[in-house]
Structure formats: C-alpha cells, structure tokens
Amino acid sequence: MARAHLYGTPVSPGISLGTLHFLHSENFVDRRYIKPEEAAREQALLEGAIGAVREDLVAAREKVPDDLAEYREVIDAQIEMTRDPKLGGTARRRIAEEGICASWALHKTIEELGRIFDAMDDPYLRERAQDIRSVGSRIKGWLTGASERETEDADIILAAEDISPADVMDVDLKRIRGILTQEGGPTSHTSILSRGLHIPALVCVTGLRLAAREGDSVIVDGLGGGVLIAPDDKDAQRFKARAAEYADWESSARTMSQWPADTMDGLRVDVMANIERADEAASLESFGADGIGLYRTEFSFLGRQKPTEESLYEEYRTVAEKSPGKAVIRTLDAGADKLLDAQEALKEPNPALGLRGIRYTLRHPDIFRSQISALLRAGANLPEGRLSILLPLIDTVEEVRAVKRIMQEISHELTARRIPHAEKLPVGVMVETPAAALIADALARECEFFSIGTNDLIHYLMAIDRNNRHVAYLNQALHPAVVRSLKRIIDAGHREGIRVSACGELSSDPYGIVLLLGMGIDAVSASPSFLPGIKHLIRKLNSQACSELASQLLMSTDISACKHMLNELLQRTLGRELSFHTSTIMGTPA
Amino acid sequence: MKLEDAALSRQVKLCTRNGLHARPAARLAKEMQRFASNVAIASDTGEADAKSMLDILSLALAEDAVVAIKADGPDADQALEALQAFLEKPGD
C-alpha cells in the first residue's frame, strides 16, 4: 500500500517498526442455507472448529508469563465457554433446526448470548459479553480457515478491532513489536497488556483497514500517537535513529530512577505513583516511585458484593506496607470514572455534578465507616505519616470536619473493642472544584495536605463535560483561570505550612511539570510507567528558571504565548529528548 | 430442559464468596459435565443448566442467594450431592 499517516491515542510508550498482522481479519460470516443431509457435516465442522479453538486457548494459556498471571483466568473462562452446551449445543441445534451452515448458526448463537450479557445490570457480567464474542470470532475464524494463516515475520505489529489477552498469547510474545486497535481506551486490556509487555500501543486508530494491508511494513509511534504505513527508506532511517535514541534515553531514565529527583539547583520533588490495585504496590520500586501519591479505592467496590471491612483492611495494609515510601489512600470516589450500581439507580441527569466523591460517602456512612475503620486499622504499627487519607471532591470546610468527626468516633469504637489501630491519620483534601480552590486558605487550616486533581479542576473550572468531544477543545491546562487557580491553591497550602502535591495528567506532562515546579509544588503523582521520565526531566530543570517562567505565565492571558514560552524553556533544557515525553497540553507533537 | 417434575430437588443457600462469578461457574460446569443426569439450578431470575457456565452466569447469583437445585437421570443422586457440596463450600 502507499505511504500513509494515521493517528491514534497512545496508551503505551515506545517506537517500533514491524510487519502488520491483522487478527480475526475474516470477520465475514458465511450465511448459507443447507440441505438437511448436509447438517451432519456442518455439525462435525463446528465440533472440529470448537475443539481446535479449545486447544489453541489451552496452548495460549501456557504462554502467559507469570507477571501477567491474572490473564490466565480470563483465558480459563474462555476455555470453559468452548465446552459450554449453551454455546456449542445451541449452535449445533440451530444447524439442524434452521437448516443453516455452521458459521451462520454460530454467529447467531454468539450474538444472542452477547446480547443477554450486554443487558445485565452487573458491570462484571456485562464485560463477559466481550469474552463470548472473542471466543466466537476465534471459532468463526477456524470455520473460514482464517486462523490457519500463520505469520512468519520476526517483528509483528498486531492490529485488530479489539484484542483479548489470549489473542496476544497466540503470537510468539517475543515477536510482537506493537499493538494497534480500533476500539479501547487507556484502561482496556490492550493498554494494560502492552504496558506490561513494554511495547508501544495505540488505541482508537481509525482507517487502518482502508489504508493498510496484511504484511505491510509499519512504524508505530507510541510517544506521539502516529502510525506510518509503508515507510520509505528515508523514514526507515529516521526511525532507526530515533528508536535507538529513545532506547538509550529510556534505559538511562530507568537506571537513574532509583535516585531522588533533585532539580539542578537542588530542590527535591517527590515523584509518586498513582495506582488502583494493591498488587501494583510491590512493583513500584522498579519505576523509581518515591511512594504512592494516589491509591484509588474504587476497584474493590465495583464487584457484585460490597467488600467486607476485613478485606479492605487487608487491601490497605498491603498498599501501605508494600509502598516504597508514603502511601496516600483516597476514599471511595465513585462517579469519577465508573458509577456504582447504587449511583446508576439514581439516574442523575448529570452524574459529574451529582452525588459523587465525598458527597456520596457522607450520604452512605456504612461504606465510608468501613473504609475509615479499615484505614485506621491498617495504620496500626506503621511509622507516623506513612499512611494518610485523601478526601475526593471536597467543596466545604464542613465536609472535612464531618470526616474528622467520623474518624474520631471510629477510633473510640476500635479502642473499646481493643482492636489495634492508629489514633489518627493525616487527612488530605483533594482540591478539584472551583469552590475548593477559592476557599483553599480555609481548607488548608482544616487538613494536613493538599492534592490537586488537575483533570477535574480543569473540567469544573471550564465547565466542560469530560466525555463530550464537542467541548474537548476547552480542555486548556494553560487557560489563565487554571494557571491562577493552581497558584492560588499552592500558595494557600504553603502559607498554612502544608505540603501540596498534584495528580492528574498535568503532573506527567513535561509542560505541566515546569509550570507546577515553578509554582513550588512539593510532589507530583502519575502512572508508574511515566515516573522514570518525570524524574529524568526534573533533574534537568532549574527551579529558579521555572519559577521565573511561572510568574510570566501568570501575567499573561495569551494561551498560545504561554505555550510558546514553555516550549522554549523545554527545548532549551531537553532538546530532542522532549519528543520522548507525551504531552496533552501541547497536543500531538509533530 | 424442563425439570419441574425432576426426580430429585432441594433448596440450597449459596456460600461461594462473592457469588458465582466466572471462575467458580467455570469449575462448577466442568464438574457437572462428569454426570450423565440433567442438573439445573433455579432462582427467582430463572433456571440454568448446571453444565453451562454461561447459563449459570446469566442467573447473576449473589452470595447468600437461595436456589433450588434439581437433577434427573441415572446418577441423579450423586450429581445432586456434588452440586450441593459445591454451592455450600465457601471457597472463592
């Protein structure tokens, strides 16, 4: 195919070159009526295909590396589906009763099952529809003979509508150089898997089918979010040079990440990790995390059953103990990304402005009390300051006081029941609404630290819905309203002598880091994979220069001039390295 | 499969922790496939073939749910016994 550029959302960093390999490419369904005497043959074909897929899955399961062991369960469930009478049996009956070919009968069965699961209330069960369809397309692939086409190439770029873990294990892991999908987001299987495998990946890539063919040579840029199809010699040379440079940069950033991040002029900034599963805590040291800046507690509440206080206690204790340093645990912030069933039942017209964050937990004291009790218990025997509590979506001073009252009550109860616990834990406020920003001085007197949730702060300041692409252009981190608010919050915190940190996209963005550093931020917190790069960047910056730049930005109301000034400073300090960082402020770098 | 007049049936309270999600449902289906008899689980939401993981999952059974279990066939006794033991075992 001709040389072409496509774009997608980068979800795993890196750059690579390889040969394009489409998965489940023949998603074409053979729709054919059959004669009654053909039924037995079609049924045998179906049986054969199901059996073959089962063998493939068993083989794929064996290939799952130990550090991705959770994917074995996903594959196990898929293996069981190939044995399921509801799937194979129903399809077999359809062949005979409806007089249709194996492929069509299977397609109908899969669609029907998928619809049943799609309609379920339970988000966990809804996601199983994806597994059913994935098994279905494998069987369909066998029936049409598509999966038999093996690829021989040494460097593979996998491309598909969406990818399930078993699909990736099918291909020799060592040969996969990149992943491209049409669907998915930053938290899909594709993203988590590719970050685990350290290969570049892009999701939401459109037009791949039209622009590229199986076997085309492609360059995947997981830093800038670009795909180059059929690169010419010049492109290939440029790619080689850039890939080598990036590999050097990455390995040196990784090696150096074990050391603290001090600016050129000796100012230390803590670089912390945002995580959402307790088992992530143990691996943080390898990313150079100085601690956990944000542990999201939503995960265990999304299941069908409310977690017990005991399981929460175990979870929070693991996080605090395994953390390489301090651990900040945020109380349930349901509604930020996912809604609890109970919230969905409220049918709020605008959940982002509804009963979420601290509003929800103060209204549902049973959940909140079990969390606080688990946290206080997890704090027993820990050095002071190691574990602290962060409150999401605070608007008023009263909310903080209410939480402190509840903490005191629970502490007394635990004492009475002779259960070991921490008397009290440091309480931090997530500053992420305009109201909180405007009363930051009053809030700072009520709490022990601030954490600025930059994503929500921008959305609420600009009054935009994060899921509404029509207003996405207003997601302007350098809008004077945002810049002034950041300054106001950081200064208010420092005047009361408390530490201020930032989590959110701004704190992993090179432009955001310069800005925050210039305003005197004490810590930044981001996804683990960004941490080595952040530390590397901070070491090259001069806090005095950042602070001078921040004062200039504060005086300007011209967003593009601000971008220009930041860019100039970063180009000067980083040079070509700048393109190895992902930035949402500047958009896709050229 | 209609098991209204199954030879054997009884009430069981589900003890599997966190309800019957994919992993235990897969194990249960696999276990039940060893028996020749038809086995079913019935709740207020409907009735499921205990040999089908997808069917079991679609009942969306929560921890503490009370279900009726039924078996019909040559080894109905053993099948029902095994099914009851599985559902009443706390495990995960």
Side-chain angles (χ1 to χ4, degrees), chain B residues 6-85:
Chain B
L8 289 167
S9 81
R10 56 182 83 146
Q11 297 274 322
V12 178
K13 188 174 169 195
L14 195 66
C15 298
T16 318
R17 198 150 26 116
N18 291 328
L20 268 183
H21 56 89
R23 203 162 8 127
R27 263 191 284 126
L28 176 59
K30 203 167 164 183
E31 170 113 2
M32 287 303 119
Q33 283 163 22
R34 295 192 297 123
F35 297 100
S37 303
N38 291 325
V39 264
I41 305 175
S43 76
D44 345 326
T45 32
E47 189 168 303
D49 178 355
K51 293 182 182 180
S52 161
M53 171 179 83
L54 295 171
D55 233 15
I56 300 171
L57 276 180
S58 63
L59 286 181
L61 292 176
E63 190 176 326
D64 298 337
V66 176
V67 295
I69 56 173
K70 312 168 188 182
D72 197 7
D75 49 3
D77 263 328
Q78 297 95 308
L80 205 62
E81 212 46 56
L83 179 55
Q84 179 168 8

Side-chain angles (χ1 to χ4, degrees), chain A residues 158-416:
Chain A
L158 281 186
E161 260 170 54
D162 206 356
I163 282 180
S164 88
D167 298 333
V168 177
M169 302 306 154
D170 261 0
V171 188
D172 182 4
L173 280 185
K174 290 191 190 70
R175 293 194 289 157
I176 304 180
R177 294 285 173 269
I179 298 182
L180 304 171
T181 67
Q182 216 176 78
E183 309 281 321
T187 55
S188 63
H189 280 326
T190 311
S191 316
I192 296 163
L193 210 93
S194 46
R195 283 197 291 264
L197 295 169
H198 300 293
I199 49 175
L202 304 181
V203 298
C204 302
V205 182
T206 47
L208 197 60
R209 280 268 171 208
L210 296 172
R213 263 193 228 125
E214 174 85 20
D216 275 351
S217 146
V218 272
I219 292 176
V220 177
D221 181 353
L223 302 166
V227 186
L228 181 59
I229 294 152
D232 57 29
D233 291 348
K234 247 196 214 151
D235 296 326
Q237 263 171 12
R238 219 175 301 141
F239 156 78
K240 264 195 202 126
R242 193 151 176 260
E245 227 178 310
Y246 176 71
D248 283 349
W249 177 82
E250 210 217 355
S251 83
S252 85
R254 270 252 175 194
T255 329
M256 293 294 292
S257 71
Q258 307 309 316
W259 304 95
D262 291 343
T263 59
M264 297 286 277
D265 48 344
L267 181 89
R268 180 159 303 177
V269 182
D270 284 338
V271 178
M272 319 278 278
N274 294 347
I275 59 169
E276 52 190 289
R277 286 196 335 263
D279 54 12
E280 287 176 272
S283 64
L284 290 179
E285 217 151 7
S286 65
F287 294 99
D290 296 323
I292 296 169
L294 173 64
Y295 178 72
R296 304 185 174 96
T297 55
E298 289 76 63
F299 200 73
S300 45
F301 286 90
L302 291 172
R304 207 177 315 156
Q305 228 95 64
K306 251 188 250 157
T308 60
E309 185 189 311
E310 210 53 36
S311 66
L312 292 178
Y313 160 67
E314 289 295 335
E315 179 185 339
Y316 302 157
R317 207 188 46 164
T318 312
V319 172
E321 280 174 2
K322 294 277 160 70
S323 167
K326 287 183 187 171
V328 178
I329 296 187
R330 183 177 70 184
T331 61
L332 185 67
D333 191 12
D337 296 306
K338 282 180 178 163
L339 293 177
L340 296 182
D341 293 349
Q343 284 175 305
E344 246 171 86
L346 294 175
K347 293 212 164 45
E348 293 172 303
N350 197 343
L353 302 179
L355 195 62
R356 48 161 291 206
I358 198 74
R359 307 169 182 176
Y360 183 82
T361 39
L362 284 177
R363 188 70 70 82
H364 292 85
D366 48 330
I367 292 183
F368 197 51
R369 292 180 81 94
S370 73
Q371 266 201 310
I372 296 288
S373 184
L375 281 163
L376 287 174
R377 288 174 56 197
N381 306 324
L382 286 178
E384 206 180 302
R386 180 155 181 107
L387 175 64
S388 41
I389 301 182
L390 183 60
L391 308 173
L393 209 76
I394 292 288
D395 262 340
T396 68
V397 171
E398 286 71 24
E399 285 163 339
V400 186
R401 290 188 187 142
V403 172
K404 290 201 154 176
R405 247 188 333 267
I406 294 175
M407 278 176 74
Q408 211 169 28
E409 274 170 36
I410 292 174
S411 171
H412 288 322
E413 277 171 34
L414 289 170
T415 312

Side-chain angles (χ1 to χ4, degrees), chain A residues 72-81 84 117 122 124-129 131-132 304, chain B residues 16-30 52-58 60-61 86 92:
Chain A
R72 283 199 198 124
E73 283 169 25
V74 179
I75 302 179
D76 274 337
Q78 295 185 344
I79 293 174
E80 193 47 47
M81 283 178 199
D84 205 302
F117 279 81
D122 189 328
Y124 169 83
L125 288 174
R126 267 203 303 271
E127 275 172 31
R128 300 282 74 73
D131 289 329
I132 297 170
R304 207 177 315 156
Chain B
T16 318
R17 198 150 26 116
N18 291 328
L20 268 183
H21 56 89
R23 203 162 8 127
R27 263 191 284 126
L28 176 59
K30 203 167 164 183
S52 161
M53 171 179 83
L54 295 171
D55 233 15
I56 300 171
L57 276 180
S58 63
L61 292 176
F86 189 97
D92 60 333

Side-chain angles (χ1 to χ4, degrees), chain A residues 23-25 27 49 53-54 56-57 60 74-79 81-82 87 106 110-111 113-114 126-142 147 160-170 189, chain B residues 54:
Chain A
L23 282 176
H24 354 271
S25 46
N27 242 342
V53 166
R54 181 159 53 236
D56 278 359
L57 286 168
V74 179
I75 302 179
D76 274 337
Q78 295 185 344
I79 293 174
M81 283 178 199
T82 63
L87 200 156
L106 181 82
I110 296 285
E111 282 309 299
L113 282 169
R126 267 203 303 271
E127 275 172 31
R128 300 282 74 73
Q130 198 193 342
D131 289 329
I132 297 170
R133 293 203 172 95
S134 151
V135 172
S137 38
R138 277 169 168 270
I139 305 174
K140 273 186 270 177
W142 260 97
S147 310
E161 260 170 54
D162 206 356
I163 282 180
S164 88
D167 298 333
V168 177
M169 302 306 154
D170 261 0
H189 280 326
Chain B
L54 295 171

